[in-house]
Amino acid sequence: MGFDQYHEPANELPEETRTFARMIASLAEEAEAINWYEQRMAVEKNRTAKAIMKDAQKEEFKHFGMDLEFLLRMKPVWKDILQGILFKEGSIVDHADDAEENAPDE
């Protein structure tokens, strides 16, 4: 795997920014793994193989959630916006617009 997650010279970035970039990369990798398992399960005919894949995918959900929580703790404004969107009934777009508008400046 390459280390091209930086858009600025890595040696000029503070450690906190480099950690954030690593965790963003990890979050993306976990999302990709979840997607791979979803596709594999969609076509797998063997029940045992499919059950194993489903179990593995659940672990990827856990990793995704842990990565996301870490990132939200690093960026409180991100957490504020997501709290205004997630786990709510109604229009996702309307909730997102309201959450963005009401988010505090960092």
Side-chain angles (χ1 to χ4, degrees), residues 40-95:
R40 290 171 186 158
M41 289 184 301
V43 297
E44 183 55 57
K45 299 203 185 330
N46 183 288
R47 285 185 188 176
T48 302
K50 192 171 188 173
I52 291 167
M53 290 175 204
K54 189 171 188 173
D55 184 73
Q57 187 189 47
K58 283 182 183 177
E59 189 152 329
E60 302 304 341
F61 289 148
K62 178 183 78 173
H63 297 158
F64 182 92
M66 290 166 41
D67 289 349
L68 181 59
E69 180 62 24
F70 181 88
L71 290 164
L72 295 177
R73 290 179 185 187
M74 288 186 78
K75 295 288 183 184
V77 69
W78 193 5
K79 185 173 187 173
D80 288 340
I81 291 171
L82 290 184
Q83 284 177 326
I85 300 168
L86 299 175
F87 311 111
K88 296 181 179 283
E89 297 294 324
S91 171
I92 296 169
V93 174
D94 289 345
H95 290 314

Side-chain angles (χ1 to χ4, degrees), residues 5 9-11 14 16 19 21 34 37-38 40 42 56 59 71-72 81 92 96 98 103 105-106:
Q5 71 245 27
N11 63 332
E16 183 176 304
T19 296
I34 290 165
Y37 282 117
E38 193 69 24
R40 290 171 186 158
E59 189 152 329
L71 290 164
L72 295 177
I81 291 171
I92 296 169
D98 291 343
D105 294 329
E106 279 194 277

